[in-house]
Amino acid sequence: MKNIDVCLTPELLQQYDLKEKIVVVIDILRASSCMVSGFANGVKEIVPVSTLEECKDLQNQGYLAAAERNGSKATGFDMGNSPFEYLEEKVKGEKIAVTTTNGTLAINKSLAAKEILIGAFLNLGVLTAYLQNKEEDIIVLCAGWKGKFNLEDTLFAGALCHRLKNYFEFACDAPLAAEAMYLTAKKDMMAYMQDSSHAKRLAKLDVVKDIEFCIQESIYDVIPYLSGKALVAKR
Ligand code: 3SL
């Protein structure tokens, strides 16, 4: 039977063989939630890059440029990393270059995979429906925080594994642990997440509304996927 696994941080990715697999990259707070929101709002493509320099180069070529470091917008760029910026009128039909502390790095570390998809609570329903019938094994890659485990990505991994468990076998204990965490947290996700280190970090930056937004389930029907160097959307 095909299987699903969870890679709890990009630092563990070396333990996984991505060849012929589908990798679902998640950075719930906030990169993957931003990407899903942007495509739902009509963004044309998003190019994820690892460095501020690459992002600047693309800005000079006419891309809107979004850059975040340590939760804040980097100086000299058009956008930061709030889903509300990706819902503005000005991004419709645009090409966006983006670099973030963890999310875009995780995407660029997954390039050996057969298919790279972007997941968030915001598109959980459509993502589940799409993956159910796939023949390939799945790896859910949590972007984490600077190589370390984080709560919010693991909760999402658990939500996805829970929904797919009738179709995919759990490959090791990580999906089991993520699912157990999700089932505990789901009654009051906001309360559970408030203890997480990144929620505290973002609260200090006064973006609690972003957290509330990012934990909404299945409000968008788009699945961003990597095509060449750019993310585009299945609708
Ligand atoms: O690290 C990332 O990719 C970001 O999503 C972090 S933040 O939410 O913008 O702080």
Side-chain angles (χ1 to χ4, degrees):
M1 190 183 181
K2 53 199 183 170
N3 69 51
I4 184 164
D5 207 343
V6 175
C7 179
L8 292 166
T9 95
E11 293 296 306
L12 289 171
L13 204 55
Q14 60 194 353
Q15 307 293 340
Y16 296 76
D17 180 9
L18 305 190
K19 233 186 314 145
E20 299 309 315
K21 307 258 167 74
I22 298 174
V23 173
V24 181
V25 180
I26 49 182
D27 187 339
I28 297 302
L29 300 176
R30 294 163 290 172
S32 65
S33 301
C34 286
M35 290 164 181
V36 170
S37 303
F39 283 114
N41 186 34
V43 166
K44 187 173 177 195
E45 67 172 55
I46 296 177
V47 180
V49 294
S50 300
T51 65
L52 293 170
E53 292 71 27
E54 290 167 281
C55 199
K56 198 32 111 186
D57 277 354
L58 290 170
Q59 186 180 35
N60 292 335
Q61 291 170 41
Y63 284 72
L64 271 179
E68 166 277 330
R69 285 297 179 269
N70 296 316
S72 300
K73 177 180 165 190
T75 313
F77 292 89
D78 306 306
M79 298 163 61
N81 197 35
S82 166
F84 294 105
E85 292 174 274
Y86 282 78
L87 291 172
E88 287 176 12
E89 202 56 32
K90 71 169 189 198
V91 307
K92 281 187 200 294
E94 292 291 337
K95 299 200 279 188
I96 301 178
V98 58
T99 182
T100 67
T101 309
N102 307 285
T104 56
L105 272 185
I107 295 170
N108 287 325
K109 283 189 168 185
S110 307
L111 299 180
K114 179 172 181 187
E115 193 174 349
I116 299 174
L117 307 174
I118 303 298
F121 282 109
L122 303 173
N123 70 347
L124 178 59
V126 69
L127 187 62
T128 304
Y130 175 76
L131 290 171
Q132 267 170 12
N133 301 317
K134 299 297 280 185
E135 293 305 322
E136 296 84 354
D137 294 338
I138 299 170
I139 295 172
V140 187
L141 172 59
C142 301
W145 181 258
K146 297 187 178 177
K148 293 186 180 169
F149 173 94
N150 80 19
L151 205 59
E152 62 276 11
D153 295 344
T154 309
L155 288 175
F156 174 84
L160 187 61
C161 289
H162 181 61
R163 283 163 177 75
L164 291 174
K165 71 191 288 187
N166 291 335
Y167 304 86
F168 294 80
E169 210 171 303
F170 288 177
C172 73
D173 289 351
L176 212 53
E179 183 194 31
M181 267 178 61
Y182 166 70
L183 292 175
T184 303
K186 73 171 191 171
K187 287 162 223 104
D188 190 348
M189 194 67 87
M190 191 63 191
Y192 199 88
M193 292 249 292
Q194 252 155 13
D195 282 339
S196 80
S197 53
H198 197 46
K200 286 182 184 155
R201 204 174 287 122
L202 291 177
K204 278 195 202 134
L205 299 170
D206 207 17
V207 284
V208 173
K209 67 178 193 328
D210 286 23
I211 305 172
E212 288 164 349
F213 182 84
C214 293
I215 61 174
Q216 299 176 96
E217 226 173 86
S218 308
I219 62 168
Y220 295 135
D221 278 343
V222 293
I223 307 175
Y225 67 97
L226 197 69
S227 171
K229 290 192 167 158
L231 293 164
V232 291
K234 294 182 199 294
R235 292 171 199 278

